[in-house]
Amino acid sequence: MARFQALTSPVLDSELDRLREEMGLRDNQKAELLREIAALASWVVAQARAGRIVEARGPDGVEVLRHPAVDTRGVLGRIVLPPDEADRLEALLDSDAGPSAEVQATLRRLSDPDRRPPKLRWPDR
């Protein structure tokens, strides 16, 4: 079996610990927790790719999961570039220029250890 180690932020560590405790797993079962989370995420993405809607049913009604990771209208779709745009993209990828200042700033924000993950939004019906 492949070995996997992840550098996690304090926010992610506390969330994983909370989930581990809720699921009744021991301290040394973080790998099992991550495996289960990956299996759940894989199932959700597969359902979205198949055009299905993931819902949560409860006493207050039905809530539909809306999240950019499972939005099949954009992220999972195929992008077709016109020939001139494809040529521009090829030139950019072949150049030795680094990322722009805006991209570097975005990457710094994403790698900030105090960054909070995006909230899942379950709209009311």
Side-chain angles (χ1 to χ4, degrees), residues 9 12 21 29 35 37 40 42 45 50 62 72 76 79-80 82 89 98 101 103 108 114 125:
S9 68
L12 180 56
E21 288 173 11
Q29 290 184 295
R35 184 177 57 239
I37 291 171
L40 285 169
S42 177
V45 170
V62 176
T72 58
L76 300 176
I79 298 173
V80 179
L89 179 59
V103 171
R108 276 193 300 277
D114 296 327
R125 281 196 171 197

Side-chain angles (χ1 to χ4, degrees), residues 36-115:
E36 293 302 319
I37 291 171
L40 285 169
S42 177
W43 181 84
V44 168
V45 170
Q47 299 307 308
R49 281 190 177 148
R52 297 184 185 100
I53 297 171
V54 179
E55 299 177 333
R57 298 179 194 269
D60 298 334
V62 176
E63 299 177 39
V64 176
L65 172 65
R66 299 203 193 292
H67 190 275
V70 294
D71 183 4
T72 58
R73 293 173 305 215
V75 175
L76 300 176
R78 184 171 182 218
I79 298 173
V80 179
L81 296 175
D84 62 322
E85 289 293 320
D87 292 341
R88 287 181 56 206
L89 179 59
E90 182 181 9
L92 282 172
L93 293 174
D94 287 342
S95 73
D96 290 333
S100 67
E102 292 83 6
V103 171
Q104 289 177 358
T106 299
L107 293 173
R108 276 193 300 277
R109 281 193 304 275
L110 288 173
S111 64
D112 181 359
D114 296 327
R115 180 179 178 271

Side-chain angles (χ1 to χ4, degrees), residues 17-51:
D17 284 338
R18 185 187 62 76
L19 282 170
R20 185 188 47 73
E21 288 173 11
E22 284 182 13
M23 295 174 72
L25 298 172
R26 294 184 307 271
D27 288 341
N28 64 348
Q29 290 184 295
K30 197 177 276 188
E32 285 84 356
L33 172 62
L34 290 173
R35 184 177 57 239
E36 293 302 319
I37 291 171
L40 285 169
S42 177
W43 181 84
V44 168
V45 170
Q47 299 307 308
R49 281 190 177 148

